[in-house]
């Protein structure tokens, strides 16, 4: 059973589930995949929050392509509790987000 947290919104599970079925996607692609229209900007904001929580990972410097992480997959499987995570402030340095220590 999934254990969402207070910082999560209704879109988050759907974003994670979409990324679980697709290797990587843009916020625009995710927004268009929904039955009810959702703005690309709203999905983009939620992807950033999920990135801060470690559930998705950006693959481009402009944060326009995301993929599910191991933690995101564990959450979907009910093995990780989102209520034990507090998303951090997103870094402006893409290398820091990706864990790339090269300059």
């Amino acid at each position: 059973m999934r254990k969402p947290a207070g910082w999560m919104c209704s879109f988050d599970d759907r974003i994670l589930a979409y990324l679980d079925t697709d290797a990587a996607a843009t916020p625009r692609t995710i927004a268009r995949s929904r039955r009810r229209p959702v703005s690309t900007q709203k999905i983009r904001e939620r992807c950033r929050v999920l990135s801060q929580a470690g559930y998705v990972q950006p693959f481009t410097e402009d944060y326009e392509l995301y993929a599910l992480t191991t933690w995101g997959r564990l959450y979907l499987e009910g093995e990780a509790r989102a209520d034990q995570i507090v998303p951090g402030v997103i870094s402006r340095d893409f290398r820091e987000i990706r864990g790339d220590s090269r300059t």
Side-chain angles (χ1 to χ4, degrees), residues 22-72:
D22 204 337
T26 65
R28 184 177 187 181
T29 302
I30 297 168
R32 288 183 173 186
S33 73
R34 300 186 31 85
R35 290 182 194 164
R36 290 184 175 168
V38 177
S39 75
T40 299
Q41 183 59 34
K42 180 66 176 176
I43 298 298
R44 184 177 289 116
E45 290 170 11
R46 297 313 304 168
C47 284
R48 283 191 174 223
V49 171
L50 291 168
S51 173
Q52 294 167 12
Y55 285 176
V56 301
Q57 178 179 10
F59 276 103
T60 59
E61 291 186 25
D62 60 359
Y63 300 94
E64 282 301 313
L65 186 63
Y66 290 88
L68 192 66
T69 65
T70 300
W71 281 110

Side-chain angles (χ1 to χ4, degrees), residues 51 57-66 90-102:
S51 173
Q57 178 179 10
F59 276 103
T60 59
E61 291 186 25
D62 60 359
Y63 300 94
E64 282 301 313
L65 186 63
Y66 290 88
I90 196 158
S91 172
R92 299 285 183 213
D93 186 350
F94 179 73
R95 292 179 304 269
E96 187 178 322
I97 293 290
R98 293 274 318 250
D100 188 355
S101 60
R102 294 174 281 167

Side-chain angles (χ1 to χ4, degrees), residues 78-91:
E79 299 295 325
R81 292 180 47 177
D83 61 342
Q84 294 181 338
I85 294 175
V86 177
V89 176
I90 196 158
S91 172

